[in-house]
Amino acid sequence: MTAFEHLSGLWLRAVERWPVLATLGPFLPLLLLWWAVAAAELFPPAFFPGPLEVARRAVELASKGILGAYLEDSLLRLVVGALAGIAVGLPLGLLLGLSDRAHRALWPLVLFFQAIGDIAWLPILIVWFGFGLGTMTFVIVYTVMFPVLMNTALGVRSIPEVLPRAAASLGASRLRILLEVVLPGALPNIITGLRNGLGFGWRALVAAEIIVGTSGIGFMMFDARRAGSVTEVVVGLVVLGVVWSIVDSWILAPLEKATGERWGLVAR
Amino acid sequence: MKQLVVENLGKIYFDPRLGERVTALEAVSLRITPGEFVAVVGPSGCGKTTLLNLIAGFLEPTSGRILLDGRPVEGPGPDRGVVFQSYALFPWKTVLENVAFGPRMRGLPRAECEARAKRYLELVGLGHVAQRYPRELSGGMQQRVGVVRALANEPEILLMDEPFAAVDAQTRMTLQEELARIFEERRPTIFFITHDVNEAVFLADRVLVLSKGRLREELPVPIPRPRRWAPLVEDDAFKGLVGRVLQAVRAA
């Protein structure tokens, strides 16, 4: 047995024991490369900080409470915006999915407005709402709404015609058909829309914070640039990626799995 | 008498692809008495599924009327249970929840719905899969669930739209015998659509031949019950009837 085989055997056993290693593993070579490039000082350290320095700065920011407070601000905005986006997108999506007339009348508008990127709205939003919460909320609601709306409509329209028919001939009222057939039938698509919407929303939020924010991770990064701390900018980048990975793999992906895959509606 | 009466039924619809009006059904009249098993045979495109969809209330007729127990049919309702070719089970509900769905929609207490669903599942030997999801079952088992889901709601009439067309030949014969047995034991009223002449003669008391939207012929099936495949495949009376229906279908 070669040393390589021995090592890879050890690795596989370790992954089996601690599944989280499967997620972290691919980052090891990247971290090493980052460290090597930084250590070689190909670029001035002030422009290209190494991983250790970034980690040190992250701990420092966290212990001062800045990182936690900013992260809380960002996540709270995301949650509030996402809830509002769902509250608008879900009923509209159901309407567009259920009514051919509504679909004909509104679908071109939906396509038009979803094509205008959230950030493209910022110049006019700043004029309307100023540099503040109004602008930021609009951007997140806007970003979350369209994927939820479009996927909900798609999900409703992809329910086989026989299912609502079967329910009706078993005595279900229109409301019961909506609750027991249409919603669960569209749920896998709705969750996919949610997953996309929240992902886009997270990115849009950071962009909005950079431009109009007074707190949050995006603001922290932009503020650090002003102060000339590249290290802090990189801390922000890492935090953004880590937070999203956690939200996606601990909340959204299991939710998607628990519904669609169990019912056999989505192929694995 | 809770009989189903179809009077002078016609259905014309606009086909946007052809850009013209198509007559799916024309002047169809029939009568089904309680406890009767009536099968409609005909080639695909003859209008048989349209006829079933009209009786089920999924479509509205262009002319004529449908009366159940003297009252005109308006939209789908629990008095007409439907079994679909594609099973149409709710994928997000367990087998038990699927079968209990009808009784639950009619407002029966939960415990009673479940007890009834279990009883009906036992009827087709599926008590052991009550907690499974439909996709975990074979096609034949799914359609058994489809049949008992409709039965458990105790409708006035059972409408079956080519229910066994999607399962393999072996399973189909088993399901046909099972349906024959259920019919012999409980005498529900059944309106059955198929393109399979053997199936129609095996199951029905009366076979109607539908072609190009019109009823062409009506043949009673005086074969005694219980009916099972083993004796019937070699039975001359059965073979003679199948031959006559086949002739009618091909002549039409």
Side-chain angles (χ1 to χ4, degrees), chain B residues 165-222:
Chain B
V167 298
D168 65 84
Q170 295 306 312
T171 310
R172 188 177 311 144
M173 291 176 90
T174 314
L175 289 175
Q176 287 160 349
E177 287 193 331
E178 231 166 66
L179 183 62
R181 180 176 58 78
I182 290 171
F183 179 74
E184 285 146 15
E185 284 169 8
R186 322 183 136 244
R187 291 282 159 175
T189 313
I190 299 182
F191 180 75
F192 192 100
I193 296 284
T194 180
H195 60 260
D196 180 343
V197 173
N198 278 294
E199 179 172 73
V201 174
F202 176 78
L203 288 169
D205 298 321
R206 197 148 54 93
V207 176
L208 308 176
V209 177
L210 190 72
S211 168
K212 301 194 187 91
R214 281 176 165 273
L215 278 181
R216 305 288 165 171
E217 198 132 6
E218 177 177 340
L219 292 119
V221 184

Side-chain angles (χ1 to χ4, degrees), chain A residues 159 161-173 176-177 179-182 184-186 260-265 268, chain B residues 53 58-59 76-82 84 86 88-93 98 101-102 104-106 133 135 149-150 153:
Chain A
I159 296 170
E161 196 180 28
V162 288
L163 292 184
R165 282 183 170 183
S169 67
L170 287 165
S173 63
R176 293 312 284 262
I177 293 175
L179 294 178
E180 308 236 8
V181 179
V182 175
E261 283 182 15
R262 188 179 57 171
W263 300 334
L265 297 174
R268 261 162 296 186
Chain B
N53 283 339
F58 301 148
L59 300 175
D79 49 355
R80 286 147 292 139
V82 183
F84 300 85
S86 55
L89 301 177
F90 306 121
W92 45 86
K93 292 185 187 294
N98 264 280
F101 185 81
R104 202 156 63 75
M105 290 303 112
R106 304 178 88 170
Y133 284 91
R135 72 164 181 121
R149 181 178 66 175
N153 210 24

Side-chain angles (χ1 to χ4, degrees), chain B residues 62-250:
Chain B
T62 317
S63 56
R65 57 181 193 159
I66 303 162
L67 303 170
L68 182 62
D69 196 17
R71 290 186 310 270
V73 157
E74 277 165 17
D79 49 355
R80 286 147 292 139
V82 183
V83 179
F84 300 85
Q85 183 180 344
S86 55
Y87 321 140
L89 301 177
F90 306 121
W92 45 86
K93 292 185 187 294
T94 62
V95 166
L96 189 77
E97 288 165 347
N98 264 280
V99 180
F101 185 81
R104 202 156 63 75
M105 290 303 112
R106 304 178 88 170
L108 295 181
R110 193 167 207 106
E112 199 181 323
C113 295
E114 285 190 6
R116 192 198 282 200
K118 274 192 189 123
R119 208 164 61 236
Y120 273 90
L121 281 169
E122 295 296 345
L123 187 70
V124 288
L126 285 182
H128 62 292
V129 296
Q131 297 309 327
R132 303 261 197 95
Y133 284 91
R135 72 164 181 121
E136 299 173 282
L137 310 185
S138 67
M141 284 163 101
Q142 288 192 44
Q143 193 57 303
R144 280 187 181 93
V145 177
V147 172
V148 292
R149 181 178 66 175
L151 277 176
N153 210 24
E154 294 174 358
E156 306 286 353
I157 183 168
L158 203 56
L159 310 172
M160 306 183 78
D161 184 12
E162 303 203 42
F164 308 141
V167 298
D168 65 84
Q170 295 306 312
T171 310
R172 188 177 311 144
M173 291 176 90
T174 314
L175 289 175
Q176 287 160 349
E177 287 193 331
E178 231 166 66
L179 183 62
R181 180 176 58 78
I182 290 171
F183 179 74
E184 285 146 15
E185 284 169 8
R186 322 183 136 244
R187 291 282 159 175
T189 313
I190 299 182
F191 180 75
F192 192 100
I193 296 284
T194 180
H195 60 260
D196 180 343
V197 173
N198 278 294
E199 179 172 73
V201 174
F202 176 78
L203 288 169
D205 298 321
R206 197 148 54 93
V207 176
L208 308 176
V209 177
L210 190 72
S211 168
K212 301 194 187 91
R214 281 176 165 273
L215 278 181
R216 305 288 165 171
E217 198 132 6
E218 177 177 340
L219 292 119
V221 184
I223 296 171
R225 297 179 187 274
R227 295 181 189 168
R228 298 294 177 265
W229 276 116
L232 280 181
V233 273
E234 292 302 322
D235 186 87
D236 285 334
F238 178 77
K239 284 197 284 191
L241 271 166
V242 168
R244 279 180 57 199
V245 175
L246 208 53
Q247 245 175 3
V249 170
R250 302 192 64 175

Side-chain angles (χ1 to χ4, degrees), chain A:
Chain A
M1 199 158 61
T2 65
F4 177 74
E5 279 169 344
H6 188 70
L7 273 176
S8 72
L10 272 179
W11 174 248
L12 288 177
R13 254 170 292 156
V15 166
E16 207 173 320
R17 186 123 179 240
W18 300 287
V20 71
L21 284 180
T23 311
L24 297 179
F27 288 96
L28 283 177
L30 189 69
L31 277 171
L32 276 176
L33 183 70
W34 178 16
W35 174 80
V37 172
E41 299 204 355
L42 293 174
F43 311 99
F47 289 179
F48 197 91
L52 289 174
E53 213 175 320
V54 170
R56 208 175 297 132
R57 187 80 189 118
V59 170
E60 211 177 293
L61 284 170
S63 65
K64 277 188 197 159
I66 297 173
L67 197 58
Y70 278 178
L71 189 59
E72 201 183 309
D73 282 352
S74 291
L75 284 175
L76 192 68
R77 281 173 199 149
L78 182 71
V79 169
V80 171
L83 287 177
I86 294 163
V88 180
L90 190 67
L92 265 178
L94 287 175
L95 177 70
L96 263 63
L98 288 170
S99 155
D100 281 340
R101 200 176 301 167
H103 195 268
R104 272 197 303 274
L106 298 176
W107 195 250
L109 296 177
V110 169
L111 286 180
F112 177 83
F113 282 103
Q114 70 98 26
I116 304 173
D118 34 78
I119 305 178
W121 282 96
L122 278 176
I124 198 164
L125 289 176
I126 290 169
V127 174
W128 288 347
F129 300 118
F131 290 84
L133 198 63
T135 299
M136 241 172 322
T137 311
F138 184 98
V139 167
I140 305 167
V141 172
Y142 192 89
T143 320
V144 174
M145 186 180 98
F146 284 101
V148 171
L149 190 162
M150 295 174 84
N151 278 285
T152 303
L154 179 75
V156 171
R157 290 172 82 84
S158 62
I159 296 170
E161 196 180 28
V162 288
L163 292 184
R165 282 183 170 183
S169 67
L170 287 165
S173 63
R174 294 176 72 115
L175 178 67
R176 293 312 284 262
I177 293 175
L178 180 70
L179 294 178
E180 308 236 8
V181 179
V182 175
L183 273 178
L187 193 59
N189 284 84
I190 294 174
I191 290 171
T192 303
L194 215 59
R195 198 176 173 183
N196 290 337
L198 284 173
F200 295 148
W202 183 234
R203 283 167 245 186
L205 170 68
V206 172
E209 282 176 349
I210 284 177
I211 297 174
V212 302
T214 49
S215 71
I217 298 294
F219 171 77
M220 182 190 89
M221 290 165 69
F222 201 66
D223 202 40
R225 185 210 64 103
R226 242 180 325 230
S229 168
V230 178
T231 312
E232 217 164 290
V233 176
V234 178
V235 169
L237 288 174
V238 173
V239 167
L240 290 180
V242 168
V243 167
W244 187 252
S245 298
I246 290 173
V247 170
D248 193 72
S249 63
W250 289 5
I251 303 172
L252 298 174
L255 208 59
E256 211 170 10
K257 206 177 163 66
T259 54
E261 283 182 15
R262 188 179 57 171
W263 300 334
L265 297 174
V266 204
R268 261 162 296 186

